């Protein structure tokens, strides 16, 4: 069983994915962290971020089992990841690794930007999790402030909009819902409500399979 979850930044797909994986005893992979891990390897080695061959080599060496969300969530790593994520060779290398992960037993939950459309188009369950840019910016703001760090809402809102444009406008694997994806708009929905809505769909798919 493969569950593919796509959506823009701060829509709640990561939290929902982990909740689903825990509930069903499935393996979980935040595919965005794979790009961040490759970017961190480049930064740590002092290597350039604009050399596709070097970036591909680092991408092929990413160990999916050891992805540390706290370490990889640093803003500088996110910026570096967005630079290498547009490179076709890097995407190919990481998509191969993500597909291999998706075949783990008894099942997997993968979340990202192109799971249902590119990585696992055959996944029997697909979700597209979204929320308004205002709500997503507010969540990110609250998260940063909650960690005791300074944050500027207007700056975060602009960053969310910029990220959406970049993700949806890129030529290779743009962010968009798969045709057969179930839409979950979490703008006014709690994670628990989103989980219960997803659970109905997953349980029906498990019965069919």
């Amino acid at each position: 069983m493969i569950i593919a979850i796509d959506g823009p930044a701060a829509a709640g797909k990561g939290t929902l994915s982990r909740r689903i994986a825990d509930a069903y005893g499935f393996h979980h992979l935040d595919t965005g962290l794979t790009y961040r891990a490759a970017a961190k390897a480049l930064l740590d080695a002092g290597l350039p971020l604009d050399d596709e061959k070097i970036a591909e080599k680092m991408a092929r060496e990413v160990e999916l089992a050891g992805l540390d969300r706290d370490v990889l969530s640093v803003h500088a790593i996110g910026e570096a990841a967005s630079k290498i994520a547009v490179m076709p060779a890097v995407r190919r290398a990481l998509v191969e690794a993500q597909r291999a992960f998706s075949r783990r037993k008894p099942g997997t939950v993968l979340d990202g930007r192109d799971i249902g459309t590119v990585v696992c188009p055959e996944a029997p369950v697909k979700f597209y999790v979204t929320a308004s840019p205002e709500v997503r910016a507010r969540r990110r703001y609250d998260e940063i402030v909650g960690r005791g760090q300074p944050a500027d809402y207007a700056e975060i809102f602009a960053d969310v909009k910029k990220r959406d444009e970049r993700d949806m406008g890129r030529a290779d694997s743009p962010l968009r819902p798969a045709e057969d994806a179930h839409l979950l708009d979490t703008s006014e929905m709690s994670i628990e409500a989103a989980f219960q809505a997803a659970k109905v769909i997953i349980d029906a798919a498990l019965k069919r399979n």
Side-chain angles (χ1 to χ4, degrees), residues 156-195:
I156 292 167
F157 180 71
D159 193 49
V160 162
K161 297 277 282 183
K162 191 172 74 182
R163 182 111 179 252
D164 285 352
E165 283 165 18
R166 192 166 60 209
D167 288 340
M168 293 172 186
R170 68 176 176 232
D172 192 0
S173 312
L175 168 64
R176 60 181 173 80
E179 283 180 16
D180 53 347
H182 300 274
L183 182 69
L184 289 175
D185 188 326
T186 66
S187 298
E188 295 178 17
M189 188 189 265
S190 69
I191 284 299
E192 187 54 34
F195 169 71

Side-chain angles (χ1 to χ4, degrees), residues 12 14 17 21 39 42 44 48 51 87 103 107 123 141 143 148 159 172 192 203-204:
S17 300
L42 288 165
D44 288 352
D51 187 315
M87 298 174 175
R103 293 189 282 272
Y141 173 85
E143 189 187 317
D159 193 49
D172 192 0
E192 187 54 34
D203 288 347

Side-chain angles (χ1 to χ4, degrees), residues 111-124:
D111 74 80
R113 301 285 192 280
D114 59 353
I115 311 303
T117 52
V118 175
V119 181
C120 300
E122 78 295 349

Side-chain angles (χ1 to χ4, degrees), residues 54-76:
I54 293 172
E56 181 193 3
K57 182 179 181 295
M58 287 303 194
R60 292 200 179 277
E61 290 170 8
V62 168
E63 184 50 67
L64 298 194
L67 302 175
D68 187 323
R69 172 179 311 280
D70 293 334
V71 171
L72 296 172
S73 291
V74 175
H75 184 71

